[in-house]
Amino acid sequence: MATDDVVPLGGVNVLRCAPSGPSLDGESAALDLIGDAMGRDAQVVAVPAGRVADEFFRLRSGVAGAVMQKFVNYRLRLVVVGDVSRHTEQSGALRDFVRETNQGGHIWFVPDLTSLEEKLRPAG
């Protein structure tokens, strides 16, 4: 996959971001993804973990909070797809943050798109 595309997963349109592309490193990058998602009628933005800037995973930087707030404000879900263990192994606070956000409905960290599809699938 060379470009971002929209795919239906679990009955929801998901903007599946390509592995290569601009880094999710702040509010401006978040707004670019939000605009792309809204223009393509996607309700979820799935960003590969490799495209998420290291600063996002350093909670003290404020990047994660700023990015997440943009997605919540625009009522879109943000999903980081892939292995984030190298970050969570270094920070108990980040590990707790990932666990807590995964219990909510707006921001998720999942290992792969299959897991995302399972989370999106309606119960029942």
Side-chain angles (χ1 to χ4, degrees):
M1 178 176 68
T3 61
D4 300 349
D5 61 349
V6 175
V7 296
L9 292 177
V12 177
N13 285 339
V14 176
L15 176 63
R16 180 177 57 180
C17 297
S20 61
S23 179
L24 181 55
D25 59 2
E27 291 181 53
S28 179
L31 288 171
D32 287 344
L33 289 173
I34 289 166
D36 193 16
M38 293 179 86
R40 297 167 82 174
D41 197 32
Q43 295 81 41
V44 176
V45 177
V47 180
R51 277 187 56 182
V52 179
D54 286 344
E55 295 83 28
F56 182 96
F57 295 105
R58 287 193 283 276
L59 297 179
R60 290 181 194 211
S61 73
V63 172
V67 166
M68 290 170 39
Q69 189 62 51
K70 290 295 180 198
F71 278 88
V72 169
N73 288 348
Y74 285 92
R75 297 189 170 125
L76 289 174
R77 293 182 231 172
L78 171 64
V79 180
V80 176
V81 181
D83 184 10
V84 297
S85 62
R86 83 176 168 95
H87 299 288
T88 58
E89 288 170 358
Q90 297 173 12
S91 169
L94 178 63
R95 192 169 35 257
D96 293 343
F97 173 78
V98 167
R99 187 182 65 252
E100 288 173 20
T101 59
N102 278 345
Q103 294 173 1
H106 288 283
I107 313 296
W108 295 330
F109 294 81
V110 299
D112 51 44
L113 289 174
T114 301
S115 298
L116 173 56
E117 186 170 24
E118 289 171 9
K119 283 183 83 74
L120 291 172
R121 192 172 296 128

